[in-house]
Amino acid sequence: MKQIWIGFILLCLSSAPTFSQVPISGKVIDEDGDPVIGALVKFTSSEKVVAAVKSNKKGEFQTTLSKGEYSVTINYVGFEAFKKELEVPAGDAKEITLDIHLRQEHFQDGEVVISATRTARNIADVPIRVEVIPADDLQESITMGLSSAKAVLSELPGIVSQTTSAATGAATLRIHGLDGRYTQLLVDGIPAFGGLNMNFSILQLPPLNLRQLEIIKGSAAGIHGADAIGGIINFLTKIPTTDVPSAQAIVNVTNLGGTDLAGYYSQKFDELGITIHTTYNNQQRRDIDKDGFADLPMQERIAINPKITYSFSPSSELVIAPAYSHEKRFGGFMAAPVNYEYGSKDIFSNATTTERIDLLGSFSQKFDQNNSAVLNSALIHTQRNSYLQQTPFDGTETIVYNDIQWSGDFLPLRLLGGLSYSSEKFVEDSIRQFDRSFTYSDLGIFGQGEYQFSSIVTALASIRADLHNFFGTVISPRASLMIRPSKDFTLRLSGGTGWRAPNIFDEDAESHGFRGVPPITSTEKERSESFSLEGKYQFLIGEWNGSTDINLFQTTIHNQQGINVFTSAGNDSEVVRWQTIGDLSSKGMELIAQAHGNGLDLFFGYTYAFVRQIFNGVSSTKEFTPQHFINASILWQSPSVLRLVSDFSYESAQLLPANSFAKESPSVFTIGASAEVWITNSLSIFLNVENALDSRQTKTMPLYLGTPGKSTFNPNFVWGPVEGRAINAGVKIKL
């Protein structure tokens, strides 16, 4: 089998034409004449990429081409797209030299916006540390699954995907060991997730519709307000860019009974632009370890995400993005009959039906070279019906968000100011012991100033005041300093505070199906302070260019609100109470190293997170939190011919709640690989293997604890992979 695979790869590589080659060399520089490092120069013939090479530390690049006509293109963050036609003559032609000048991109508000500052900036020039996953990496993640962006986010240093319900597969993202509720999720800069959607949010953002991800670790409340207490993740969706129609369709199937279908279309008609993205996902209920309990829940989801843009002039644009999704999930014991309305008292089952309607809008106006304004608005309506065994939890959540901001660029000073208003209204339909309905509203005013003292030193400071109807007035400052003595080395120091308005949509409450969870009556808000120090160095070794990034961090959350669950004396019924569970401290470091050369991309990430729960002066290790996390990958590709990827991850042992199986989990090591082969310029097939070593929690302990007939039954004890080895394959078609 190995020989057949190697032969297939050689056959694909040998299919490339073998004509006499002409040396091509050049240099990529910016408007100041400085070299642009790491710019990917692509040479395309008949819409097929025949060569791609990155510029080195001096901005130089080299390759060879055969006779023909080519398009030379460069797309580099912070610069305008470059395109040039090139003709390579026949015969023994001399070396062709290209001098490429990239122009600084003049952003329109509403395009690539840096989440950390709400301003359109080259990410390298922002004093706050912002991590970016570009479109190329997101396209690669599609081979790992079409249903959500969970796969690509789970492989980032410092970010762990935590399953909050084994029965329904609900999950959140934890940054540096902090609970998922402390991470604010944005869509195109608008807080569109949270509350009722919190534990399902990362399952509802398919990567095919994304053009970029931006991540800030640490409090970003100085601009983005409540819930940005531990960090933010901004999902930037695709926009129409050209009058040439672009379409993509993908079909994916898995060995675990999953089927994914996705389609995307984009085109611009003069002032009007349209994109349409739709997905269908289906997962059969599967019992991997044959213990009678479904390790994978039944799931069916359909979503449609259109977007309309209209340019009134070169300086003003309107964007409207409605969306609709409908999802059903059902899990528990395999013997439980599938019923999304009622559960059985005799056998455990858990069902969730969610219907969501979004309407997001943005209007941007550029007054002149220095002044611009943006108006954002969003309406999100979610209806959820669910039950845990026989306990229902039905409700409707409506989120309204509006903001307006002005930004001025008066070098060396940049200013930003704005107002925001948000409201969250939850109405419970399944009233039992108590009604947990609530309405939160918040009026915020924010300001930010950035000053460039010299080409080496830049400082940024922001402050925000929030007036909340339930938790009062909160002030959140943040300051950052960037020192860049050379283009190779950058030092960033940041510190700030944040806050969160507690609500009932807590990870522990979700794991209990909100059974017996009372409303929050305390007016105590959660507060945090965070600090980080980052040093980043870019290097060039021969034909290899890369970077190393070390980030030291510390975040402390005070006055944590959580639920306390205990069994009442004399019977098995649970009593749930909200209380202050103390402070949470997370400190540690991230080390990221990456390099590119000779068609290879290498990545290594290590995170050390020392996370402690502090209550009444007693410090203890936080449960379900690995102290050490390693992830690495290697990618080799011949553009539009073949791409091979291999990756692995390691999580150290995690402290577990009291149980009869283990005090702590074993370390978890996973390895995966994928291959994509282009049959034609517009058709490719892919094969992906995740968790090839079949690491599984159920090899150590079951997914459930207790007796299903009792109310104390806990089916949500998840610390490791539950599905074991997963294989998926599919087809990509571009039109």
Side-chain angles (χ1 to χ4, degrees):
M1 182 65 183
K2 181 178 180 181
Q3 290 81 357
I4 295 175
W5 175 245
I6 294 174
F8 177 66
I9 294 174
L10 293 176
L11 178 62
C12 293
L13 295 176
S14 65
S15 63
T18 57
F19 301 106
S20 107
Q21 300 289 297
V22 176
I24 309 293
S25 65
K27 188 173 184 179
V28 185
I29 60 176
D30 61 19
E31 292 172 301
D32 298 325
D34 295 323
V36 178
I37 303 172
L40 183 62
V41 187
K42 293 183 180 180
F43 297 86
T44 306
S45 177
S46 301
E47 298 185 358
K48 180 179 180 180
V49 178
V50 296
V53 60
K54 281 189 176 181
S55 57
N56 61 21
K57 189 176 181 180
K58 298 180 180 180
E60 298 171 345
F61 63 89
Q62 290 181 340
T63 188
T64 58
L65 296 172
S66 58
K67 172 192 173 183
E69 296 181 352
Y70 300 88
S71 292
V72 185
T73 59
I74 299 177
N75 290 285
Y76 193 76
V77 175
F79 294 93
E80 294 181 0
F82 174 87
K83 185 174 182 180
K84 179 179 180 179
E85 302 304 318
L86 173 67
E87 182 177 356
V88 178
D92 297 328
K94 296 181 179 180
E95 180 178 358
I96 297 176
T97 302
L98 298 174
D99 289 323
I100 298 175
H101 297 255
L102 296 186
R103 297 175 57 189
Q104 192 80 25
E105 184 168 9
H106 298 289
F107 292 99
Q108 293 286 334
D109 293 281
E111 294 181 350
V112 182
V113 177
I114 306 304
S115 302
T117 61
R118 287 180 179 260
T119 56
R121 298 288 311 285
N122 186 335
I123 291 172
D125 296 331
V126 177
I128 294 177
R129 181 179 187 247
V130 183
E131 297 175 63
V132 173
I133 304 175
D136 288 347
D137 290 350
L138 291 171
Q139 282 292 315
E140 176 192 324
S141 71
I142 290 175
T143 62
M144 295 184 286
L146 278 169
S147 59
S148 72
K150 175 182 175 181
V152 65
L153 287 167
S154 300
E155 294 187 346
L156 295 176
I159 299 179
V160 175
S161 173
Q162 177 67 42
T163 299
T164 57
S165 171
T168 61
T172 62
L173 291 173
R174 300 174 61 182
I175 295 180
H176 295 158
L178 304 177
D179 292 337
R181 63 182 181 273
Y182 299 125
T183 299
Q184 186 180 67
L185 301 183
L186 310 174
V187 176
D188 295 325
I190 298 174
F193 286 97
L196 191 64
N197 293 284
M198 183 189 72
N199 290 281
F200 292 93
S201 56
I202 60 172
L203 307 174
Q204 297 169 331
L205 291 160
L208 183 60
N209 194 35
L210 301 178
R211 60 184 169 92
Q212 185 167 296
L213 287 181
E214 299 172 348
I215 299 115
I216 304 173
K217 298 167 183 174
S219 175
I223 288 294
H224 292 283
D227 294 339
I229 195 168
I232 64 172
I233 300 175
N234 189 16
F235 297 82
L236 296 175
T237 59
K238 292 180 179 178
I239 56 176
T241 56
T242 68
D243 58 0
V244 178
S246 172
Q248 187 174 13
I250 302 178
V251 179
N252 178 66
V253 295
T254 77
N255 67 315
L256 299 175
T259 302
D260 303 304
L261 306 174
Y264 176 81
Y265 163 78
S266 172
Q267 190 171 3
K268 197 165 186 179
F269 306 90
D270 297 324
E271 294 83 11
L272 178 68
I274 296 174
T275 69
I276 300 176
H277 171 255
T278 182
T279 58
Y280 171 78
N281 313 109
N282 183 282
Q283 172 63 58
Q284 300 175 20
R285 192 167 36 151
R286 286 294 177 93
D287 178 12
I288 309 298
D289 60 347
K290 308 302 180 186
D291 64 349
F293 188 86
D295 302 288
L296 286 176
M298 180 184 297
Q299 181 252 339
E300 185 175 30
R301 181 172 185 267
I302 186 170
I304 181 168
N305 306 83
K307 176 183 285 188
I308 300 171
T309 65
Y310 189 84
S311 300
F312 296 94
S313 70
S315 59
S316 62
E317 184 178 53
L318 174 68
V319 179
I320 299 176
Y324 172 81
S325 65
H326 186 275
E327 181 179 55
K328 296 194 298 183
R329 291 175 171 266
F330 181 85
F333 280 90
M334 297 293 290
V338 178
N339 188 322
Y340 286 95
E341 297 182 6
Y342 304 102
S344 167
K345 67 177 182 179
D346 299 318
I347 188 165
F348 174 83
S349 62
N350 192 182
T352 301
T353 301
T354 306
E355 186 173 52
R356 175 175 164 137
I357 300 173
D358 295 35
L359 181 60
L360 278 63
S362 177
F363 177 76
S364 60
Q365 175 68 55
K366 188 166 184 137
F367 302 109
D368 53 40
Q369 279 299 110
N370 300 323
N371 293 274
S372 61
V374 180
L375 172 65
N376 294 310
S377 187
L379 173 65
I380 299 106
H381 181 82
T382 305
Q383 173 69 48
R384 171 172 164 173
N385 298 299
S386 62
Y387 67 79
L388 180 73
Q389 207 144 353
Q390 284 193 303
T391 304
F393 181 70
D394 303 331
T396 303
E397 180 187 60
T398 303
I399 296 175
V400 175
Y401 176 83
N402 296 281
D403 75 38
I404 185 170
Q405 67 176 54
W406 163 87
S407 60
D409 196 345
F410 313 102
L411 293 179
L413 176 66
R414 292 183 174 91
L415 296 174
L416 180 144
L419 293 168
S420 71
Y421 172 79
S422 63
S423 69
E424 177 184 4
K425 182 178 181 179
F426 174 71
V427 177
E428 185 173 9
D429 302 322
S430 55
I431 300 175
R432 289 295 181 267
Q433 297 172 260
F434 25 63
D435 183 4
R436 292 165 289 196
S437 303
F438 66 89
T439 300
Y440 284 169
S441 63
D442 178 85
L443 177 65
I445 179 171
F446 54 88
Q448 179 174 277
E450 180 182 341
Y451 191 82
Q452 186 173 355
F453 293 93
S454 67
S455 60
I456 297 176
V457 180
T458 303
L460 181 148
S462 62
I463 189 167
R464 179 183 174 104
D466 286 284
L467 179 60
H468 196 275
N469 69 318
F470 197 75
F471 294 97
T473 302
V474 190
I475 307 296
S476 304
R478 176 164 184 159
S480 299
L481 180 68
M482 181 177 71
I483 302 174
R484 189 162 54 187
S486 71
K487 286 196 172 183
D488 298 333
F489 179 69
T490 304
L491 188 70
R492 290 183 175 91
L493 174 65
S494 294
T497 67
W499 74 286
R500 177 179 177 269
N503 58 41
I504 64 170
F505 305 115
D506 167 280
E507 288 97 325
D508 291 334
E510 177 72 46
S511 70
H512 282 77
F514 299 94
R515 180 170 52 192
V517 175
I520 290 181
T521 56
S522 171
T523 57
E524 294 293 330
K525 52 188 167 288
E526 297 175 306
R527 294 300 309 262
S528 77
E529 65 261 355
S530 65
F531 304 92
S532 67
L533 174 63
E534 178 208 24
K536 185 172 184 178
Y537 177 72
Q538 293 178 294
F539 61 86
L540 177 67
I541 302 175
E543 295 301 317
W544 288 80
N545 62 70
S547 64
T548 57
D549 192 333
I550 299 177
N551 179 44
L552 306 178
F553 62 84
Q554 178 171 344
T555 298
T556 303
I557 298 176
H558 303 284
N559 196 40
Q560 267 198 303
Q561 300 297 302
I563 62 173
N564 181 26
V565 183
F566 59 94
T567 303
S568 61
N571 58 63
D572 293 322
S573 62
E574 289 182 340
V575 177
V576 182
R577 291 177 181 170
W578 287 101
Q579 67 178 48
T580 300
I581 57 176
D583 297 344
L584 182 65
S585 171
S586 171
K587 56 185 176 181
M589 65 162 286
E590 291 177 351
L591 170 64
I592 301 173
Q594 49 193 336
H596 171 85
N598 299 322
L600 287 172
D601 283 289
L602 307 178
F603 176 86
F604 175 84
Y606 167 71
T607 303
Y608 169 75
F610 185 70
V611 187
R612 307 289 288 178
Q613 195 80 48
I614 305 166
F615 183 69
N616 289 335
V618 178
S619 176
S620 59
T621 301
K622 181 174 173 56
E623 296 171 346
F624 299 116
T625 306
Q627 198 168 92
H628 304 276
F629 178 72
I630 298 174
N631 59 314
S633 65
I634 178 171
L635 178 150
W636 177 87
Q637 64 179 331
S638 176
S640 297
V641 176
L642 177 67
R643 177 169 60 199
L644 301 174
V645 184
S646 179
D647 59 80
F648 81 88
S649 67
Y650 166 83
E651 288 185 8
S652 62
Q654 304 171 43
L655 180 67
L656 302 178
N659 68 90
S660 58
F661 292 91
K663 182 179 180 180
E664 64 177 26
S665 71
S667 300
V668 177
F669 177 84
T670 64
I671 186 169
S674 68
E676 184 171 4
V677 179
W678 276 259
I679 308 302
T680 67
N681 292 338
S682 58
L683 175 65
S684 66
I685 59 175
F686 59 86
L687 175 68
N688 182 63
V689 180
E690 292 294 320
N691 194 5
L693 300 180
D694 197 27
S695 297
R696 243 186 308 124
Q697 173 176 327
T698 51
K699 291 182 177 181
T700 301
M701 61 189 302
L703 290 179
Y704 58 89
L705 302 173
T707 304
K710 294 184 178 181
S711 61
T712 54
F713 178 67
N714 180 7
N716 303 288
F717 206 80
V718 184
W719 49 260
V722 297
E723 70 276 8
R725 184 183 299 110
I727 302 173
N728 66 283
V731 178
K732 295 182 183 178
I733 303 173
K734 290 185 178 181
L735 303 176

